[in-house]
Amino acid sequence: TQITARLDHQFSQRDTLTASYFGSITSSYFANPSVLDSNTEAFTDGNNLSLRYSHSFTPQAINSLTFGLSSNPIYLPTFGPFGPVDLQQYGYNIHNKPLGPLPFPAILLFRTNYFSYVPGGESTDKGSIFTWRDDFAFIHDRHSFKLGFDARRWQTYHGGIGGPLFFFADFNPFGTGNDVADFLLGIPFRYIQGTTNRSYDVHRFLTAFYFQDDYKLRSNLTLNLGLRYELDGVWSDQEGQKATF
């Protein structure tokens, strides 16, 4: 499903406002072959909204101010026959009490067609970009000047519930050389256990300035000169902690 809308309004001969929106909603429901007795329903919801205000000082000088918002969340819930439980009650030597209930361990066989079994889990990804941009253009003699800046706030969120993972491979130096045999004997090549809540919510600021000159040397020859400077901020979480290199 897609939705589009646009609104143009002219306040005066010098001032105009343009608003546009584009939205899409996608939903798919299918059987998940890697999850026993389960189905996966994926949702994608995209929204793009922009507002542009233009003011004409003279026929040769125009300024445009633009605000924009773009978001594209993706929901991938996986419904399996087993929900998060206390794994020690089922004979697993996995200490998950400090973490809370966990899904049953996932199993991955590397060489056997990359077979995987995931008892259950879910994930959500949300990304949004807010943009503020100002552009000024004017013409003087043979020069067409353009200058401006744009500032963007990029925010991304990932949330999900995951459990332990047993990875079996034929290159396990302590195994038999066959991933299926290692699985039957209980000799994993790798074991991974994280937290039940694998969520993060981070954002960063992106800023850019530019200047451009289109100089008409002749009627059939134009020289284009431009300079752009970009400043990319580091990722920061909700507590103000930053990630950088």
Side-chain angles (χ1 to χ4, degrees):
T1 303
Q2 294 183 347
I3 301 174
T4 60
R6 175 168 174 158
L7 175 65
D8 295 283
H9 180 67
Q10 186 172 359
F11 297 97
S12 64
Q13 294 183 350
R14 293 187 174 185
D15 300 281
T16 59
L17 177 66
T18 302
S20 60
Y21 171 79
F22 174 79
S24 62
I25 301 175
T26 304
S27 175
S28 57
Y29 189 76
F30 54 92
N32 192 337
S34 67
V35 182
L36 181 64
D37 297 332
S38 69
N39 299 284
T40 297
E41 188 172 10
F43 303 91
T44 303
D45 184 10
N47 297 279
N48 297 275
L49 176 65
S50 65
L51 296 173
R52 175 175 292 180
Y53 172 75
S54 299
H55 176 74
S56 177
F57 297 96
T58 66
Q60 293 79 25
I62 301 176
N63 188 81
S64 297
L65 184 63
T66 305
F67 297 93
L69 176 62
S70 176
S71 65
N72 187 28
I74 302 176
Y75 309 96
L76 293 172
T78 300
F79 305 98
F82 309 109
V85 295
D86 185 356
L87 295 178
Q88 289 185 329
Q89 295 182 357
Y90 290 84
Y92 289 91
N93 187 22
I94 298 177
H95 301 280
N96 64 302
K97 288 185 177 181
L99 304 176
L102 289 173
F104 279 85
I107 299 172
L108 179 61
L109 304 181
F110 180 73
R111 289 298 181 186
T112 308
N113 295 325
Y114 216 81
F115 169 82
S116 63
Y117 165 68
V118 184
E122 63 180 14
S123 66
T124 301
D125 291 278
K126 299 179 182 179
S128 61
I129 300 178
F130 176 77
T131 304
W132 176 28
R133 179 167 182 165
D134 192 8
D135 300 283
F136 180 67
F138 66 98
I139 300 175
H140 177 69
D141 197 14
R142 296 185 178 183
H143 296 270
S144 296
F145 297 103
K146 296 180 182 179
L147 66 154
F149 77 93
D150 66 80
R152 289 169 288 169
R153 186 182 189 273
W154 182 8
Q155 183 172 2
T156 180
Y157 168 82
H158 172 79
I161 299 177
L165 169 65
F166 287 96
F167 180 70
F168 298 90
D170 55 357
F171 45 79
N172 186 351
F174 303 100
T176 63
N178 183 281
D179 54 357
V180 177
D182 289 351
F183 166 69
L184 296 176
L185 295 174
I187 309 176
F189 172 70
R190 182 182 302 163
Y191 171 75
I192 301 174
Q193 179 178 342
T195 62
T196 55
N197 186 5
R198 302 174 300 172
S199 301
Y200 60 83
D201 189 355
V202 295
H203 64 273
R204 66 187 303 194
F205 290 94
L206 309 173
T207 308
F209 304 88
Y210 77 92
F211 174 81
Q212 181 178 326
D213 180 18
D214 294 334
Y215 180 51
K216 200 172 188 64
L217 298 173
R218 296 179 180 178
S219 60
N220 60 350
L221 180 62
T222 301
L223 177 63
N224 179 271
L225 301 174
L227 177 65
R228 182 180 178 90
Y229 177 77
E230 296 186 358
L231 180 63
D232 297 341
V234 299
W235 289 105
S236 178
D237 61 12
Q238 298 299 314
E239 298 179 357
Q241 299 179 349
K242 301 182 182 298
T244 185
F245 294 95

